[in-house]
Amino acid sequence: MERYIDKSGYMESEQAILALAALAQSTRLEVFRLLAKHEPEGLAAGDIAKKLAVPQNTMSSHLGILSRAGLVTARRFSRSIVYRADLRAFQAVVLFMLRDCCDGRPEICGPLIEDLTPCCPPKTRRKAHA
Amino acid sequence: MERYIDKSGYMESEQAILALAALAQSTRLEVFRLLAKHEPEGLAAGDIAKKLAVPQNTMSSHLGILSRAGLVTARRFSRSIVYRADLRAFQAVVLFMLRDCCDGRPEICGPLIEDLTPCCPPKTRRKAHA
DNA sequence: ACGGTATTTCTAGAATGATCGAAACAGACC
DNA sequence: GGTCTGTTTCGATCATTCTAGAAATACCGT
């Protein structure tokens, strides 16, 4: 891990790896999807732990990892700490992954982007296939 | 990890975690981006190892992990084994992540998808910011 | 069959990560 | 201050992953 420092664009890559590693764990993946679903209100740490049936301290550790990865934000409301998914950060990771894809030949990855409409097809776009 | 088996949609989640874990490692992330850049021709295992300055056996292990995660495909050409990025599989992971996002309220994650045009803006879309 | 090239499997040591009990910390209410 | 509730930090254990040397496999040319 400390061997790739001299690569150009390393900082961004390091950030992406932090995010991917944070998501590559079942509990944390569920947490992120749960928080994405509960945008923009967010959810308190205890509620997340309860909902996913994980001890509070274990969940706290996971939330810390997601937070350090920049994928969630934490804000205190009196006693509770409300977590929210940072969808912009997630978007940045995806963009990083696809940045130089196909070396600028749209015919390769174009159709890929076509279908990237998860829950809400934007104005001028519609899903092309099943 | 063996505690979350009874969750609905587990198989898909397991697949996503496999992919995310595969990408959450600097060498493998570089490999995937390198292969994405070299679509659709692909690259031989040895060339990948050389390009990223990693021993062949270590690289082979990484390629095996990416392959088992479904993110790359391998095909033999005489002596060489040519690897290719499976961008469809990557797309599936992203779609899984965003599936139920915002619980069906387009105003939340709509703008997110707006900007998801990495290298090749599709027909009716153009990049909105720098 | 032999030698050479390309790649993978085997193996083991070092490093990293997950889990959770127990203790500590922070805020709210009386 | 005392005592709840909500959350995090500490510490220890257990499991997983990274890495690469050495050996094995697969294919090609002669």
Side-chain angles (χ1 to χ4, degrees):
Chain A
M1 203 134 167
E2 48 292 325
R3 261 162 60 290
Y4 306 89
I5 297 192
D6 47 359
K7 275 201 173 52
S8 79
Y10 175 68
M11 287 311 292
E12 220 169 5
S13 169
E14 193 181 31
Q15 192 62 27
I17 286 176
L18 221 58
L20 290 166
L23 293 171
Q25 204 278 342
S26 40
T27 302
R28 291 195 295 264
L29 183 58
E30 289 308 311
V31 168
F32 183 79
R33 299 201 337 131
L34 183 64
L35 289 179
K37 187 167 187 159
H38 283 257
E39 270 296 285
E41 307 88 18
L43 237 59
D47 294 345
I48 302 173
K50 216 170 296 168
K51 235 178 228 274
L52 298 185
V54 171
Q56 288 196 354
N57 54 357
T58 303
M59 183 54 78
S60 179
S61 165
H62 286 311
L63 287 171
I65 290 171
L66 282 168
S67 179
R68 241 167 287 129
L71 289 167
V72 306
T73 61
R75 223 189 126 189
R76 175 143 232 154
F77 278 107
S78 86
R79 260 175 295 195
S80 300
I81 294 186
V82 171
Y83 282 87
R84 285 188 54 190
D86 188 339
L87 295 176
R88 278 274 168 217
F90 178 70
Q91 179 200 34
V93 175
V94 175
L95 281 176
F96 171 77
M97 298 285 318
L98 294 177
R99 168 98 46 79
D100 299 320
C101 84
C102 316
D103 216 8
R105 283 162 299 174
E107 67 277 14
I108 306 295
C109 62
L112 230 81
I113 312 302
E114 285 299 307
D115 288 334
L116 267 178
T117 59
C119 68
C120 31
K123 347 166 180 172
T124 57
R125 179 80 47 79
R126 133 178 16 259
K127 281 174 86 169
H129 67 80
Chain B
M1 202 134 166
E2 48 292 323
R3 278 215 339 324
Y4 306 89
I5 296 194
D6 47 357
K7 274 199 173 54
S8 78
Y10 176 69
M11 286 313 291
E12 221 169 6
S13 168
E14 193 181 29
Q15 192 63 27
I17 286 176
L18 221 58
L20 290 166
L23 293 171
Q25 204 278 341
S26 40
T27 302
R28 291 196 294 264
L29 183 58
E30 289 308 311
V31 168
F32 184 79
R33 300 202 336 132
L34 183 64
L35 289 178
K37 187 168 187 158
H38 282 257
E39 269 297 286
E41 306 87 18
L43 236 60
D47 294 346
I48 302 173
K50 216 170 297 170
K51 236 177 228 273
L52 298 185
V54 171
Q56 289 195 355
N57 54 356
T58 303
M59 183 54 76
S60 179
S61 165
H62 286 311
L63 287 171
I65 290 170
L66 282 168
S67 179
R68 241 166 286 127
L71 289 167
V72 306
T73 61
R75 222 188 128 189
R76 176 142 232 156
F77 277 107
S78 86
R79 259 175 295 197
S80 300
I81 294 185
V82 172
Y83 282 87
R84 286 188 54 189
D86 188 338
L87 295 176
R88 277 277 167 215
F90 177 70
Q91 179 201 34
V93 175
V94 175
L95 282 177
F96 171 77
M97 298 284 319
L98 295 177
R99 168 99 46 80
D100 299 321
C101 84
C102 314
D103 217 6
R105 283 162 299 174
E107 67 276 14
I108 307 294
C109 63
L112 229 80
I113 312 302
E114 285 299 307
D115 288 335
L116 224 43
T117 59
C119 67
C120 30
K123 344 165 182 175
T124 56
R125 181 78 49 77
R126 135 177 15 262
K127 281 173 86 170
H129 65 81

